[in-house]
């Protein structure tokens, strides 16, 4: 992906795009992917970096949702299981089968959870990743040495999908880009343009860096901004009611040896009625999540002290070694764009994660709700409105069969897996210039060639783009990311042709962000 080339496409003010998408997270990228699969022309604008918000802050699971099954949301689970299967097939370098163990501490739990998971297996049908089964106390402790053995009966093993969310977002963006879509990060939509009859005919977008504005004509405009959807709805109609209720979920990152083994832990019922996961991911243990109502949507939300305490206390009840604040390598928070409940509010954990497409009087099409696993189906359902909005014929969706950028059957080993078929190209850069084979940080396997690759081919414009989303260092170990920032900034500056003042500003910006990922040991 080349940002300058894509910006140049906007110079042609006579061009009318079929679809203009606002938002570069999972739902916006899903719209772009589905649209190009139908032969439509697409321009997508993201005000920050791709997947900067909610879409890079998930629990890293591709799942049907065992919890949604318990709530009776059968249709959502079936849809998500189908999409999980497709993603594992279309992006094997970014997704894999992950075994989970639910520890069982009484006989009733064994009966209850076994029955529920057999139903989950049945619904997975030919897309099943493996059958659930009960295992003994001895096998549970062998597979998960860090689990609390007191009162333990055994465990139930089941299978779900795991992925790298920000890297998958990037792979979808690259796939759409290669198919002819024009995707731009750091491009803020500042106004919507309408014809005399009040129907949308395009938008005005501003490049964050140059401050230059571009008028973009489009037959259909899609609002795929997640927790910020109401801002675009109110840009379209100042009287539009609020539709989104942000709900915050946080995750703590610990060393993997708190749990041990390769299996993930699933705690089916916490004191607030949610589930809690402890999942091995990129050599660390990701523990979460919470469900806290927040009134305002923020691009960089922060974990509340009560959320941190809740995750630590809940995890401590199931682990032999009790994690403390000092053990936390990083904390990250994300906001779910839940549908705002009617008066007589319901608990957020009970609000359906099903997505919804809303068409405004102006023709603005908004996609709200949903979850990462169903991003492609969300895109398909949104693009399906093209015919209604434009009166033009619409080809059948082919997005379910698209192999995503980097696809390969020979998955590279170690941290290289997320690059898929690009791995050899990055490694070749390091062979040509041995200086680029140096590690970014002694504690992590990533090398300097990955920074150059991110700038040249993955539209990384800021230090945070590299350390948070191209390489996942910021959410795996915030202290290490801070220590790596200057080396990354100087390498990026030489590649982008930037001066010392750019480096210093980037370092200041990054440190300000990184502080939000570090837990204060003595909170006020």
């Amino acid at each position: 992906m080349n940002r300058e080339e894509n910006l140049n496409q906007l110079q042609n003010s006579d061009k009318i795009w079929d679809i203009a998408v606002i938002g570069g997270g999972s739902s916006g990228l899903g719209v772009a992917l589905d649209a190009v699969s139908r032969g439509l022309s697409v321009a997508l604008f993201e005000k920050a970096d791709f997947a900067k918000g909610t879409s890079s802050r998930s629990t890293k699971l591709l799942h049907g949702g065992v919890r949604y099954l318990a709530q009776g949301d059968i249709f959502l689970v079936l849809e998500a299981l189908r999409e999980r299967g497709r993603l594992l097939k279309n992006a094997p370098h970014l997704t894999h089968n992950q075994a989970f163990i639910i520890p069982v501490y009484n006989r009733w739990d064994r009966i209850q959870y076994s029955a529920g998971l057999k139903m989950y297996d049945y619904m997975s049908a030919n897309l099943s990743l493996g059958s659930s089964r009960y295992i003994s106390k001895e096998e549970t402790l062998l597979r998960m040495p860090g689990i609390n053995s007191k009162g333990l009966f055994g465990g139930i093993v089941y299978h779900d999908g795991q992925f790298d969310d920000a890297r998958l977002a990037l792979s979808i963006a690259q796939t759409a880009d290669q198919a002819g879509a024009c995707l731009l990060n750091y491009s803020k939509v500042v106004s919507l343009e309408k014809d005399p009859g009040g129907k949308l005919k395009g938008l005005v977008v501003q490049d964050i860096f140059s401050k230059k504005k571009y008028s973009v004509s489009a037959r259909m405009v899609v609002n795929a901004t997640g927790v910020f959807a109401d801002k675009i709805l109110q840009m379209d109609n100042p009287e539009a009611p609020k539709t989104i209720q942000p709900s915050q979920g946080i995750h703590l990152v610990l060393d993997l040896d708190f749990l041990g083994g390769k299996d993930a832990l699933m705690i089916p019922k916490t004191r607030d009625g949610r589930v809690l996961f402890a999942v091995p991911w990129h050599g660390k243990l990701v523990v979460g999540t919470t469900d806290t109502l927040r009134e305002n949507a923020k691009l960089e939300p922060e974990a509340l002290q009560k959320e941190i305490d809740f995750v630590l206390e809940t995890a401590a009840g199931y682990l032999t070694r009790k994690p403390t604040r000092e053990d936390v390598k990083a904390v990250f928070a994300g906001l779910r764009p839940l549908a705002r409940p009617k008066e007589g509010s319901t608990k957020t954990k009970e609000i359906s994660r099903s997505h919804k497409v809303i068409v405004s009087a102006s023709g603005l099409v908004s996609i709200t709700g949903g979850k990462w696993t169903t991003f492609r189906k969300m895109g398909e359902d949104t693009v399906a409105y093209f015919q209604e909005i434009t009166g033009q014929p619409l080809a059948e969706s082919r997005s379910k069969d698209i192999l995503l950028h980097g696809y390969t059957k020979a998955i590279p080993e170690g941290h290289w897996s997320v690059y898929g078929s690009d791995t050899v190209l990055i490694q070749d850069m390091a062979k040509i210039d041995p200086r680029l084979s140096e590690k970014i940080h002694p504690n992590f396997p990533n090398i300097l060639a990955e920074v150059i690759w991110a700038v040249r081919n993955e539209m990384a414009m800021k230090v945070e783009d590299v350390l948070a989303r191209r390489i996942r260092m910021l959410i795996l170990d915030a202290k290490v990311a801070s220590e790596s920032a200057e080396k990354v900034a100087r390498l990026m500056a030489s590649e982008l042709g930037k001066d010392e003042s750019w480096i210093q500003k980037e370092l200041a910006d990054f440190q300000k962000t990184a502080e939000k990922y570090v837990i204060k040991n003595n909170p006020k």
Side-chain angles (χ1 to χ4, degrees):
M1 292 193 297
N2 186 300
R3 194 169 183 276
E4 282 304 312
E5 285 177 11
N6 286 3
L7 267 175
N8 287 339
Q9 291 187 58
L10 302 186
Q11 302 281 9
N12 180 5
S13 56
D14 294 333
K15 181 175 174 69
I16 302 176
W17 299 86
D18 288 321
I19 298 181
V21 183
I22 311 170
S26 60
S27 56
L29 292 166
V31 172
L33 185 73
D34 191 74
V36 294
S37 86
R38 301 178 194 248
L40 299 174
S41 61
V42 190
L44 177 146
F45 306 104
E46 164 56 50
K47 69 176 178 182
D49 186 30
F50 303 115
K52 154 76 177 172
T54 307
S55 298
S56 60
R57 300 157 191 268
S58 73
T59 315
K60 321 305 177 195
L61 303 182
L62 293 172
H63 60 141
V66 175
R67 180 162 57 89
Y68 311 137
L69 188 59
Q71 292 168 5
D73 206 338
I74 304 294
F75 177 76
L76 174 62
V77 176
L78 279 170
E79 181 177 81
L81 287 170
R82 273 197 305 272
E83 293 300 317
R84 179 190 74 177
R86 285 170 179 146
L87 262 170
L88 284 156
K89 178 172 71 74
N90 294 337
H93 56 305
L94 289 163
T95 62
H96 67 268
N97 181 343
Q98 173 67 54
F100 290 76
I101 296 177
I102 298 177
V104 173
Y105 290 94
N106 63 63
R107 287 189 174 84
W108 168 241
D109 280 353
R110 175 180 175 177
I111 296 165
Q112 184 184 6
Y113 300 141
S114 293
L117 287 166
K118 281 300 170 197
M119 173 65 78
Y120 198 58
D121 292 344
Y122 174 74
M123 290 170 73
S124 302
N126 62 332
L127 293 171
S128 171
L129 301 180
S131 295
S132 61
R133 65 185 181 93
Y134 179 77
I135 57 173
S136 66
K137 176 179 179 178
E138 291 70 29
E139 187 178 345
T140 303
L141 291 171
L142 193 66
R143 291 177 66 158
M144 212 172 254
I147 196 76
N148 185 357
S149 62
K150 190 178 178 183
L152 184 72
F153 273 68
I156 300 168
V157 180
Y158 76 98
H159 294 260
D160 241 323
Q162 192 188 46
F163 76 132
D164 186 317
D165 47 11
R167 292 295 319 181
L168 180 62
L170 196 65
S171 174
I172 298 161
Q174 289 169 305
T175 307
D177 183 87
Q178 285 158 354
C182 173
L183 297 99
L184 285 161
N185 55 1
Y186 298 103
S187 303
K188 185 177 182 179
V189 171
V190 291
S191 64
L192 300 174
E193 296 191 314
K194 298 180 180 180
D195 65 20
K199 294 293 184 184
L200 277 183
K201 63 173 187 175
L203 45 80
V204 176
V205 63
Q206 184 175 38
D207 177 13
I208 295 290
F209 301 119
S210 71
K211 305 301 179 194
K212 184 175 177 181
K213 291 181 180 177
Y214 300 86
S215 182
V216 178
S217 299
R219 295 180 175 90
M220 173 169 145
V221 177
V222 173
N223 171 17
T225 53
V227 289
F228 300 102
D230 285 338
K231 290 192 174 180
I232 304 299
L233 283 164
Q234 284 159 3
M235 186 186 284
D236 173 55
N237 172 16
E239 304 300 311
K242 286 193 170 184
T243 63
I244 300 296
Q245 173 61 69
S247 164
Q248 181 161 291
I250 75 150
H251 296 83
L252 305 182
V253 180
L254 305 169
D255 280 329
L256 196 52
D257 60 10
F258 271 90
L259 194 57
K262 295 176 181 176
D263 300 299
L265 170 67
M266 196 268 227
I267 300 165
K269 201 151 191 181
T270 61
R271 63 176 155 84
D272 76 339
R274 286 190 57 80
V275 299
L276 194 85
F277 292 100
V279 186
W281 190 71
H282 289 325
K284 301 287 182 194
L285 190 68
V286 176
V287 187
T289 182
T290 54
D291 208 332
T292 310
L293 286 181
R294 303 307 302 264
E295 206 41 51
N296 299 313
K298 289 183 178 177
L299 197 56
E300 194 60 71
E302 289 184 70
L304 303 176
Q305 297 306 327
K306 65 176 184 179
E307 291 180 297
I308 294 166
D309 292 340
F310 169 76
V311 173
L312 285 172
E313 286 165 17
T314 306
Y318 289 84
L319 300 176
T320 307
R321 242 175 93 207
K322 313 303 179 193
T324 66
R325 288 171 172 270
E326 288 79 7
D327 297 313
V328 177
K329 299 290 183 184
V331 54
F332 61 94
L335 296 173
R336 304 176 191 90
L338 302 185
R340 185 173 280 270
K342 301 285 184 280
E343 292 302 318
S345 171
T346 180
K347 290 180 180 176
T348 59
K349 69 179 189 297
E350 293 164 0
I351 298 173
S352 173
R353 266 46 170 181
S354 297
H355 59 274
K356 191 161 72 171
V357 182
I358 303 162
V359 181
S360 303
S362 66
L364 176 68
V365 179
S366 299
I367 172 76
T368 61
K371 56 206 282 285
W372 236 124
T373 311
T374 57
F375 89 94
R376 188 211 63 82
K377 187 68 170 70
M378 291 165 67
E380 182 183 316
D381 290 351
T382 306
V383 177
Y385 281 82
F386 181 77
Q387 196 160 353
E388 180 186 316
I389 299 293
T390 66
Q392 296 186 3
L394 181 64
E396 207 173 304
S397 168
R398 298 181 184 277
S399 55
K400 63 179 183 287
D401 299 317
I402 293 178
L403 302 179
L404 297 179
H405 179 89
Y407 174 89
T408 176
K409 287 181 179 174
I411 311 298
E413 293 196 359
H415 86 282
W416 291 109
S417 63
V418 297
Y419 293 105
S421 59
D422 283 340
T423 299
V424 66
L425 302 174
I426 305 168
Q427 291 174 342
D428 283 349
M429 284 169 58
K431 285 175 187 168
I432 293 164
D433 183 352
R435 288 172 301 178
L436 296 180
S437 62
E438 181 191 333
K439 282 186 177 182
I440 296 170
H441 191 282
N443 295 5
F444 275 74
N446 309 86
I447 62 173
L448 295 177
E450 293 172 67
V451 178
I452 300 293
W453 181 264
V455 173
R456 287 183 190 171
N457 301 286
E458 297 178 346
M459 240 184 247
M461 303 300 294
K462 294 175 70 64
V463 170
E464 186 201 326
D465 300 344
V466 173
L467 288 174
R469 288 172 294 279
R470 306 304 183 276
I471 292 164
R472 308 309 305 275
M473 205 179 277
L474 179 60
I475 68 168
L476 289 167
D477 193 323
K479 182 170 176 284
V480 163
S482 292
E483 290 167 0
S484 307
E486 184 165 359
K487 187 183 281 189
V488 170
R490 294 196 176 279
L491 192 56
M492 288 181 75
S494 67
E495 185 65 22
L496 291 165
K498 302 293 184 182
D499 60 12
E500 185 67 25
S501 65
W502 181 89
I503 292 170
Q504 294 309 320
K505 184 178 185 309
E506 274 298 303
L507 289 176
D509 286 353
F510 183 76
Q511 295 306 343
K512 191 176 172 185
T513 300
E515 281 171 17
K516 296 178 180 178
Y517 291 73
V518 179
I519 282 190
K520 314 296 184 289
N521 290 333
N522 297 302
K524 289 178 184 174

